[in-house]
Amino acid sequence: MRGLAAVPSYVVMQPTTLCNLDCAYCYLPFRSADRRMPVAVAEAVAASVNPWAAADRFSVVWHGGEPLAAGREHLGALLAPFAPDVEHHVQTNATLIDDAWCAFFVEHGMRVSVSVDGPRERNGDRVSRAGRPAYDRIVRGVATLRRHGLPFSALAVVSRPEPGLATELYEYFLDLGCDVLGINIEETEGVNTRDNVWDAAEVTAFWAELVAAWRRAPSIHLREVEWSLRYAAAVLDGTADGLLPRRLDPIPTVGYDGSVTVLSPELAGFTDARYGDFSSGNVLAAPLAEILRGAAGTPWVGEFLAGVEACRSTCPYFGFCGGGHAANRYFELGRFDGTETEHCRNSKIRLLEGVLEHARDHESPAA
Ligand code: SF4
C-alpha cells in the first residue's frame, strides 16, 4: 500500500456546518453557524462521482454539522444531481427524525447511521445548545425509524473505557435494534482538546469484554471486531499481505463551500501557519477527479505519506492498521510524519490486543 488512490470508495459531503446539538466532545469548529452547501457544489461533485458509480459501487456520506439541519428541501436539492446508482448514507444525531424524514430516506434510498453513546446516563456529553440532555430526542428519532421499519447503524463514542461498559453498551445496542455498530474511543482532535490517555490494560480489557459480549449474541455487525477478526483470519491463512488496499483511499471530504480535504474529515475547516487550510482544491474551480489526482502533492499529504512509511517500517501493527489517522497525528503530535498516537493506541493496537486477549482466555483446553 503506497500513495493515494485516484478514485475513492466514497465521498463525505457537508451540507451545512450547523448542528442543533453542542456535544462536549465534538471536533467541529463552526457548528453554531449555518453555512449551507450551494447546489452548484453538489453538481460539481456529481460530475465526477456519477461515472465512478457507473463503474463500481460508490457512496456519498452526508455528514455535518447535523446534515438534517440543512432541511429536507435543501438536502433533496443537493441529492438531485447524483445518478440513481450512487448510494447515499447520512450520519445524524437523530433528534430531527420524524415521519417526513423517514419518507425522505425511503424516497432517496438513504441509509441512516445514528450517533448515540448508549443508555441515557452514558449520553451526558450529548446536549442541546441550551445544555439540556438530548437523549429523549435521540431515542424518539430512533423509535420513528423503527416504526417505519428502516434499518439503521449506530455510532457510539466511549469517553472513558471502564470495566462493565462494553457489556452494557452491547446489550443496549441489541435492544436499540441497530444492525451495524461502530465504537469510537473519544479522540483529541479539532476543537476537542480533552485528554484521551488511558491505561493500556483497561482499554485492552474493554475491547476483550466487547468481543465476549458480541460472541454471546453476534447479531450486530460490530465494526471494530469484524475488522480484527478479518485480519486475524488473513494472518492464519497467510493472506494478510493482500488485506490492505494497494493505495490509500483518499476519502475526500467536500466542505460546504466546495473545498476538498482528503484523508480526514476532521481537518476540514482548520488552518495552520505551516499547512494552510489543508484543502487540496475546490470543486467549483476544478473537477473532483482532477483534484484527487493531484492530492498527493498537497504539502501536508506528502508529510503524512512519509508518516505512513515510518509506520510501515517500525510498527508491528501496520498490517492491521495501515497507518491512517492523519487528523489524529496532526492534533496530537502537531505534524503528520509521526507514528503512534493515543488514538491509534486506543483504537488499533489495544483493539487487536483485546481481540487476541479474548481468544487466549477462551482457548479450548484440548488445543
Ligand atoms: S498502530 Fe499507530 S503506529 Fe502502528 S501503523 Fe497504525 S498509526 Fe502507525
Side-chain angles (χ1 to χ4, degrees):
M1 189 189 68
R2 291 181 199 265
L4 290 186
V7 177
S9 59
Y10 64 97
V11 169
V12 180
M13 300 275 282
Q14 185 180 44
T16 174
T17 54
L18 180 70
C19 186
N20 59 327
L21 296 188
D22 194 20
C23 300
Y25 51 60
C26 184
Y27 62 84
L28 288 163
F30 306 118
R31 59 188 191 264
S32 60
D34 189 7
R35 300 178 186 174
R36 289 192 188 191
M37 177 178 276
V39 172
V41 169
E43 287 169 346
V45 173
S48 289
V49 159
N50 290 346
W52 292 335
D56 206 347
R57 213 171 151 188
F58 198 92
S59 298
V60 172
V61 179
W62 298 90
H63 211 286
E66 165 52 45
L68 305 193
R72 271 186 301 284
E73 197 181 324
H74 189 61
L75 195 55
L78 295 175
L79 285 160
F82 290 94
D85 44 5
V86 175
E87 297 175 21
H88 292 281
H89 299 248
V90 64
Q91 183 65 43
T92 173
N93 63 34
T95 58
L96 300 172
I97 294 176
D98 58 11
D99 291 340
W101 271 113
C102 288
F104 181 95
F105 299 145
V106 171
E107 180 188 346
H108 296 281
M110 195 173 238
R111 166 87 202 187
V112 180
S113 177
V114 169
S115 301
V116 55
D117 295 344
R120 177 188 303 278
E121 55 281 9
R122 299 285 181 189
N123 282 266
D125 284 329
R126 300 193 66 76
V127 293
S128 69
R129 301 222 142 264
R132 281 196 284 277
Y135 184 75
D136 287 341
R137 293 165 64 200
I138 296 170
V139 290
R140 201 180 314 131
V142 171
T144 309
L145 286 173
R146 292 189 63 166
R147 191 154 35 76
H148 284 262
L150 291 174
F152 63 97
S153 307
L155 194 56
V157 173
V158 167
S159 291
R160 185 185 179 84
E162 55 194 9
L165 176 58
T167 307
E168 177 189 325
L169 287 181
Y170 190 73
E171 288 173 357
Y172 172 84
F173 285 103
L174 276 175
D175 279 350
L176 194 72
C178 61
D179 53 12
V180 180
L181 174 61
I183 303 268
N184 288 348
I185 295 193
E186 186 178 330
E187 300 164 39
T188 305
E189 61 184 358
V191 297
N192 180 24
T193 55
R194 298 196 324 189
D195 199 10
N196 63 345
V197 182
W198 302 110
D199 178 71
E202 273 186 44
V203 181
T204 303
F206 169 83
W207 291 117
E209 185 188 318
L210 188 66
V211 183
W214 173 77
R215 286 193 65 198
R216 286 193 289 274
S219 53
I220 296 179
H221 289 286
L222 189 51
R223 187 183 64 178
E224 285 72 17
V225 170
E226 290 190 354
W227 289 341
S228 314
L229 295 179
R230 200 175 313 131
Y231 176 69
V235 169
L236 291 173
D237 293 345
T239 57
D241 284 350
L243 210 58
L244 293 175
R246 281 185 43 248
R247 291 181 179 276
L248 270 177
D249 191 329
I251 316 174
T253 294
V254 181
Y256 77 95
D257 59 353
S259 60
V260 177
T261 307
V262 294
L263 294 165
S264 271
E266 299 85 355
L267 291 170
F270 285 88
T271 51
D272 178 286
R274 236 176 108 211
Y275 303 109
D277 68 359
F278 299 102
S279 90
S280 296
N282 190 302
V283 295
L284 296 176
L288 178 60
E290 186 183 313
I291 293 170
L292 295 183
R293 278 197 295 275
T298 311
W300 74 265
V301 177
E303 188 178 296
F304 169 72
L305 292 174
V308 174
E309 292 312 308
C311 280
R312 185 198 307 277
S313 57
T314 59
C315 179
Y317 299 86
F318 182 81
F320 171 57
C321 166
H325 321 131
N328 302 96
R329 289 175 203 237
Y330 172 71
F331 288 113
E332 286 194 32
L333 309 175
R335 50 189 303 123
F336 291 94
D337 52 3
T339 54
E340 271 195 42
T341 59
E342 291 303 331
H343 169 68
C344 80
R345 289 185 195 112
N346 288 337
S347 301
K348 288 291 166 71
I349 296 175
R350 289 161 194 162
L351 163 63
L352 195 57
E353 290 298 333
V355 172
L356 296 176
E357 182 174 294
H358 172 84
R360 280 191 288 267
D361 289 352
H362 292 78
E363 234 175 337
S364 141

